[in-house]
Amino acid sequence: MRAEYDPWAAYYDWIHQGLPGEAEFYILRALRRGGHTLELGCGTGRVCLPLAMSGGDVVGLDLSVGMLAECQEKRRLAGPLTGRLHLVQGDMRRFSFARRFHTIMMPYRTFMHLLTVQDQCECLTSVRDHLASGGEFILNLWAARPSVTTEQVRKTSTRFRLAGQYPVPSEGLLLRHFHRVRIDEAAQRLDEDHRIEEVNLMGSVQRRRLLHLDRVWVTPREMEHLLCRCGFEVSAVYGDFEERQITNDSTEMIWVAMRKN
Ligand SMILES: C[S@@+](CC[C@H](N)C(=O)[O-])C[C@H]1O[C@@H](n2cnc3c(N)ncnc32)[C@H](O)[C@@H]1O
């Protein structure tokens, strides 16, 4: 079965460059803790690859064969790693490894791809079952609060808007990214269409792709309830990757949790 991210693989690294300080935050925390790390939804390896290059022992799990192939190619280009990286195609809602991990991480709002409460709980239960004693689960997601979601609803659009432009010098291309978002407030769901245009040096569009993403938003209290229900104790919640407190202006929430004994 084709995963939602398969058609994204060729464009992902150009368009999704991550959040400020994000990769460094996860990498430093995992290296400090040591032992084995698992990244759920590792994608093209934006976090797990530099972690393995810095000496970490990492398993990267992702549903998308296309995203994993990109990661594999980057790993080949990186040459011998100081640490270890093992890539696995699988579903973060139900996974099974013979080992436990000292750090399990889910960067870049990946949790928002779990569309139902059942999916969220299955994933969290699998995480809890794979955490080593004293191990840490770290994830970040969009800090959905009424004022922020109202702003999103305002942006609901049936028309595509330009979201960004990205030069790809090696291909002599400019990628133009447009998107439109429909919001289902009751279901807390974002139904996103993305149009990517590959524009050549003459300014002509030589290829157009229509991609799709479905995500749900989670409020801070919901996240706390979910973690608690699935057997975690929250050790910290931050509003950014410099570990500042979450406030009414935070756009991200970063949760650090441990297994409740
Ligand atoms: C926003 S991307 C994040 C990729 C990477 N962690 C990063 O920081 O760049 C979300 C990733 O989660 C993966 N994903 C979505 N649903 C999944 C699932 N049920 N199981 C495993 N991976 C999933 C997607 O294929 C995609 O690579």
Side-chain angles (χ1 to χ4, degrees):
M1 196 183 85
R2 228 165 119 75
E4 195 176 36
Y5 267 85
D6 283 338
W8 277 99
Y11 304 112
Y12 185 86
D13 284 350
W14 296 105
I15 293 177
H16 300 281
Q17 290 165 7
L19 302 162
E22 182 194 22
E24 297 85 339
F25 172 86
Y26 287 103
I27 291 168
L28 282 176
R29 266 194 113 101
L31 288 176
R32 249 188 257 135
R33 187 156 289 272
H36 307 301
T37 298
L38 170 64
E39 182 184 351
L40 297 175
C42 65
T44 60
R46 209 174 49 81
V47 178
C48 63
L49 182 57
L51 173 55
M53 289 166 79
S54 314
D57 177 355
V58 199
V59 173
L61 177 136
D62 204 284
L63 197 58
S64 161
V65 173
M67 295 290 273
L68 287 171
E70 285 291 319
C71 184
Q72 189 64 49
E73 176 58 8
K74 280 159 62 179
R75 175 215 177 124
R76 190 186 65 75
L77 294 172
L81 302 174
T82 318
R84 284 196 296 192
L85 176 60
H86 178 54
L87 297 174
V88 176
Q89 198 252 334
D91 193 326
M92 63 188 173
R93 289 169 290 188
R94 34 201 106 77
F95 55 89
S96 174
F97 292 103
R99 69 159 69 141
R100 288 190 166 197
F101 297 88
H102 302 86
T103 303
I104 301 184
M105 54 168 86
M106 205 191 276
Y108 215 9
R109 305 169 176 167
T110 296
F111 195 80
M112 293 177 71
H113 291 294
L114 297 165
L115 300 181
T116 64
V117 171
Q118 185 178 340
D119 286 350
Q120 292 169 334
C121 287
E122 280 181 0
C123 174
L124 290 175
T125 304
S126 296
V127 169
R128 190 202 53 216
D129 293 347
H130 284 82
L131 263 188
S133 162
E136 237 178 29
F137 174 44
I138 320 170
L139 77 161
N140 84 279
L141 56 173
W142 184 46
R145 288 170 285 101
S147 57
V148 186
T149 50
T150 306
E151 178 62 13
Q152 276 293 333
V153 172
R154 200 183 58 74
K155 284 191 197 152
T156 292
S157 172
T158 49
R159 292 176 47 194
F160 279 103
R161 291 165 200 238
L162 184 65
Q165 307 199 67
Y166 309 89
V168 185
S170 56
E171 310 279 328
L173 282 178
L174 177 74
L175 296 180
R176 276 206 302 243
H177 174 208
F178 299 83
H179 71 170
R180 66 179 175 198
V181 187
R182 286 170 302 277
I183 310 260
D184 180 339
E185 247 188 306
Q188 297 188 191
R189 198 157 167 150
L190 305 163
D191 173 1
E192 307 170 23
D193 290 325
H194 298 257
R195 194 175 76 215
I196 312 235
E197 293 179 354
E198 298 181 10
V199 183
N200 65 21
L201 291 173
M202 311 300 285
S204 311
V205 176
Q206 61 177 46
R207 190 172 191 217
R208 248 186 213 102
R209 299 286 306 268
L210 197 59
L211 311 177
H212 188 261
L213 285 180
D214 259 333
R215 299 193 288 169
V216 297
W217 69 75
V218 180
T219 65
R221 283 214 181 188
E222 265 182 293
M223 196 65 230
E224 187 168 348
H225 281 300
L226 279 168
L227 286 167
C228 187
R229 174 174 169 181
C230 298
F232 290 90
E233 235 163 60
V234 174
S235 354
V237 194
Y238 304 119
D240 63 26
F241 293 100
E242 290 182 30
E243 304 189 7
R244 281 188 282 245
Q245 220 182 339
I246 188 163
T247 69
N248 287 328
D249 296 322
S250 309
T251 56
E252 295 302 308
M253 49 183 181
I254 299 141
W255 292 81
V256 183
M258 299 179 92
R259 227 175 52 203
K260 216 183 282 172
N261 289 316

